[in-house]
């Protein structure tokens, strides 16, 4: 038994996934020793949130076959909602700093962001994607892609029209002393952002792996006809997936409001980074997207640290070109052909 | 009468393939539909399963009109379709594929009972229950597709081209497993290109030519019919 595990482990280490994860961990350790553990903290916080956006993107791609370029706008919707929910709450908190609202107030804002994200996802499906699905006879991928770009432009300008182009940000969610772990000070907001992303990714993973509904989402993404045959109601799964994906993106937007104030094009950066992750880790691979998110975050943190802040999109893009040349299915791409390869 | 198809018209887009196809199946029967390539055998199956919307005619199942229902609703009525392409979930294990086959069964205990039942039918699947469906051989996948079709405890099992792409030995295995299934009391409708084999195992057969039912009758009679022997069997 243990022999078999050793064999499995060696073959994993030799696979593209094993090599890249091992290298990432080594690089992270080296960078932490070289320039301080705050680099790891940054990586972990950005990576966790990126994982949320990227899993949403992967889900849209895998289940609905939509190359979603409006996903950043759901991040924007999340941060906007969190801003407007949290502003009155923070006024209340500043008057009553000892009240329990100081603890759960931010959570309320983030939950509202998630709900708003889910609702806007459903609206987008009902108004945009659903009608297209009925009319589009062929070339679905291209048509839906163009539609998401249009949706993105529309939402960005709607934001500007209604709420203005200024930065709508907050000073912080949770006040109080930063948490110190072994001489590293982490602000409470960052720590909470990390905890939120870990909890959500774990819940999401459990949902997708073990529940009947989660399994049927995977089934639809792998073979839509097969899913119909076993009695899965495709319309229901599509609606659920789209609201889930948008909610994940909006949660990230809400939780990171203290880092990224809400403004019309706030969603662009997370959108690009999430696409880096999805291409890097292989289309439609959810667990791969989580690992890929931390890798891209690490790469970004290291680039900023050692090369310069202007390079943080150049290096990941260069890496993605290399991945596309040498392993087009992504580093976690499965040997089994998925629905999208057909 | 378990299934009654009356004057069914169907096709893809503007292309009509089936023209007024009528057929029926009694409970417990083993019925084969044979015919040349492009005759509309698979189209008939897909229309009954709800994957292609019918253009005209009606489909009655257990006396209930199911014409135009979507596939998931038809599956819930008790019709299970094993497609030619199998449509397995390639990145799921054998066990997960089978459990998805019982998607319409809400009771977890019943689902596990069905799982045991299918594992008993196909011991080969038991050995491979944790393997990904996409990494199995063609014959095993076929077996898994049939097993998955049985998981929902269907009244009627539609099997499309079980021998497609399989070596003769594996084809024989698949036909054996269908024989086992028919003994458990399920009704089977089989579409096949292999005319000799189909007519030798089924009770009754339909011959489909150019989207129309050309002949029907007991399988042994069809196999002896001079026209069938000349056109399909080449003797």
């Amino acid at each position: 038994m243990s022999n078999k595990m050793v064999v499995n482990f060696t073959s994993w280490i030799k696979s593209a996934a094993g090599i890249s994860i091992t290298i990432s961990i080594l690089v992270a350790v080296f960078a932490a020793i070289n320039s301080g553990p705050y680099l790891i903290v940054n990586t972990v916080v950005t990576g966790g949130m990126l994982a949320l956006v990227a899993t949403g993107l992967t889900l849209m791609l895998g289940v609905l076959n939509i190359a979603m370029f409006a996903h950043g706008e759901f991040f924007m919707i999340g941060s906007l909602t969190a801003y407007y929910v949290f502003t009155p709450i923070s006024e209340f908190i500043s008057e009553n700093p000892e009240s329990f609202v100081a603890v759960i107030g931010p959570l309320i804002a983030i939950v509202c962001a998630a709900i708003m994200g889910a609702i806007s996802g459903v609206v987008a499906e009902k108004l945009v994607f659903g009608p297209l699905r009925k009319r589009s006879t062929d070339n679905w991928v291209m048509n839906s892609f163009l539609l998401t770009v249009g949706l993105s432009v529309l939402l960005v300008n709607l934001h500007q029209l209604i709420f203005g182009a200024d930065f709508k940000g907050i000073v912080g969610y949770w006040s109080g002393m930063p948490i110190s772990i072994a001489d590293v000070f982490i602000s409470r907001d960052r720590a909470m952002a990390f905890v939120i992303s870990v909890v959500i990714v774990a819940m999401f993973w459990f949902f997708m792996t073990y529940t009947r509904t989660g399994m049927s989402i995977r089934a639809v993404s792998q073979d839509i006809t097969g899913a119909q045959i076993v009695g899965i109601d495709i319309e229901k799964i599509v609606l659920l997936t789209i609201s889930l994906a948008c909610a994940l993106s909006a949660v990230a937007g809400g939780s990171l409001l203290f880092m990224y104030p809400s403004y019309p094009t706030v969603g662009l950066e997370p959108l690009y980074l999430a696409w880096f992750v999805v291409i890097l880790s292989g289309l439609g691979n959810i667990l791969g997207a989580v690992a890929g998110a931390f890798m891209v975050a690490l790469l970004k943190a290291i680039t900023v640290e050692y090369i310069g802040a202007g390079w943080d999109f150049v290096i990941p893009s260069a890496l993605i070109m290399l991945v596309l040349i040498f392993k087009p299915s992504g580093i976690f791409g499965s040997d089994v052909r998925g629905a999208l390869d057909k | 009468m378990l299934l009654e198809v009356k004057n069914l018209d169907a096709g893809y887009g503007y292309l009509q393939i089936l023209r007024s196809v009528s057929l029926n199946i009694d409970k417990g029967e083993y019925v084969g539909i044979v015919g040349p390539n492009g005759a509309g055998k698979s189209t008939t199956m897909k229309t009954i399963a709800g994957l292609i919307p019918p253009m005209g005619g009606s489909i009655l199942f257990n006396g209930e009109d199911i014409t135009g229902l979507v596939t998931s609703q038809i599956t819930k009525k008790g019709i299970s379709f094993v497609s030619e392409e199998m449509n397995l979930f390639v990145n799921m294990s054998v066990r997960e594929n089978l459990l998805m086959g019982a998607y319409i069964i809400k009771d977890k205990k019943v689902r596990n009972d069905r799982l045991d039942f299918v594992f008993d039918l196909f011991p080969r699947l038991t050995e491979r229950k944790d393997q990904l469906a996409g990494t199995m051989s063609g014959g095993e996948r076929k077996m898994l597709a049939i097993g998955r079709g049985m998981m929902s405890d269907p009244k009627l099992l539609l099997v499309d081209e079980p021998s497609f792409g399989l070596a003769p030995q594996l084809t024989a295995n698949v036909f054996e497993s269908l024989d086992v299934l028919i003994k458990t009391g399920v009704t089977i409708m089989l579409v096949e290109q292999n005319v000799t084999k189909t007519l030798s195992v089924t009770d009754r057969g339909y011959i489909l030519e150019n989207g129309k039912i050309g002949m029907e009758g007991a399988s042994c009679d069809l196999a002896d019919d001079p026209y069938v022997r000349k056109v399909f069997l080449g003797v």
Side-chain angles (χ1 to χ4, degrees), chain B residues 46-172:
Chain B
K46 285 181 181 162
T47 315
I48 296 172
L51 289 167
I52 300 173
M55 294 170 171
S58 65
I59 305 167
L60 297 176
F61 183 65
N62 256 340
E64 199 180 341
D65 192 0
I66 57 163
T67 325
L69 290 186
V70 296
T71 309
S72 59
Q73 284 166 314
I74 290 176
T75 307
K76 283 181 189 120
K77 303 272 183 214
I79 299 183
S80 196
F81 177 48
V82 179
S83 64
E84 187 181 344
E85 304 87 10
M86 299 172 277
N87 296 107
L88 294 173
F89 308 123
V90 288
N91 276 320
M92 288 191 190
S93 67
V94 168
R95 197 170 162 277
E96 283 179 308
N97 264 282
L98 290 175
L99 283 176
M100 285 317 290
Y103 179 79
I104 59 167
I105 299 173
K106 296 233 159 54
D107 190 343
K108 204 170 179 180
K109 197 183 163 302
V110 181
R111 257 187 283 164
N112 286 331
D113 287 349
R114 292 302 299 173
L115 195 63
D116 292 341
F117 170 77
V118 171
F119 278 150
D120 277 348
L121 280 180
F122 303 114
R124 187 77 163 273
L125 295 180
T126 323
E127 293 162 22
R128 314 234 154 185
K129 62 176 192 268
D130 294 320
Q131 193 176 336
L132 290 186
T135 60
M136 298 208 301
S137 73
E140 289 163 344
R141 282 199 232 185
K142 213 68 169 194
M143 231 173 238
L144 177 57
I146 295 171
R148 191 182 69 178
M150 285 303 293
M151 282 296 290
S152 59
D153 199 4
K155 297 187 187 79
L156 173 64
L157 189 69
L158 307 172
V159 187
D160 196 359
E161 300 274 4
S163 74
F164 182 76
L166 290 189
Q169 177 56 41
L170 292 170
T171 309

Side-chain angles (χ1 to χ4, degrees), chain A residues 48-261:
Chain A
M49 283 300 153
L50 199 51
L52 296 184
V53 183
T55 40
L57 210 57
T58 310
L59 214 53
M60 294 283 287
L61 205 59
V63 178
L64 304 152
N65 213 350
I66 295 177
M68 184 70 160
F69 271 78
H71 216 58
E73 275 54 58
F74 291 95
F75 183 94
M76 178 266 280
I77 287 173
S79 67
L80 195 65
T81 312
Y83 172 76
Y84 280 108
V85 172
F86 190 66
T87 311
I89 293 178
S90 69
E91 276 165 22
F92 179 82
I93 292 174
S94 62
E95 284 162 24
N96 315 282
E98 296 305 315
S99 132
F100 71 100
V101 180
V103 181
I104 63 157
L107 287 178
I108 294 173
I110 292 166
V111 168
C112 284
I115 293 170
M116 199 60 193
I119 292 173
S120 44
V122 170
V123 171
E125 157 67 16
K126 290 285 176 199
L127 290 184
V128 182
F129 299 117
L132 179 70
R133 198 170 299 114
K134 286 196 184 72
R135 282 155 195 257
S136 175
T137 46
D138 55 6
N139 228 340
W140 162 258
V141 175
M142 190 62 187
N143 288 343
S144 60
F145 158 70
L146 290 174
L147 211 58
T148 65
V149 175
L151 185 65
S152 159
V153 174
L154 182 81
L155 289 174
V156 166
N157 286 289
L158 268 182
H159 180 134
Q160 192 156 354
L161 184 71
I162 300 171
F163 303 101
D166 48 342
F167 289 82
K168 292 166 278 286
I170 56 167
V171 181
Y173 273 133
W174 282 276
S175 52
M177 288 297 289
I179 300 161
S180 94
I181 301 165
D183 291 346
V184 194
F185 289 95
I186 309 167
S187 82
R188 281 169 189 244
D189 284 359
R190 279 172 190 251
M192 279 308 284
F194 175 66
V195 170
I196 289 169
S197 68
V198 167
V199 168
I200 290 177
V201 167
M203 272 166 40
F204 183 72
W205 177 80
F206 182 84
F207 169 74
M208 291 298 284
T209 317
Y210 294 110
T211 67
R212 189 163 157 266
T213 318
M215 274 173 76
S216 52
I217 291 180
R218 274 158 60 210
V220 172
S221 80
Q222 290 173 29
D223 197 309
I224 194 154
T225 311
Q228 282 175 301
I229 289 172
V230 299
I232 296 170
D233 186 349
I234 306 292
E235 292 285 311
K236 217 175 78 185
I237 295 296
V238 161
L239 204 59
L240 177 73
T241 307
I242 218 163
S243 54
L244 207 61
C246 295
L248 284 173
S249 184
V251 164
S255 323
L256 289 182
L257 183 61
F258 66 92
M259 272 168 83
Y260 298 96

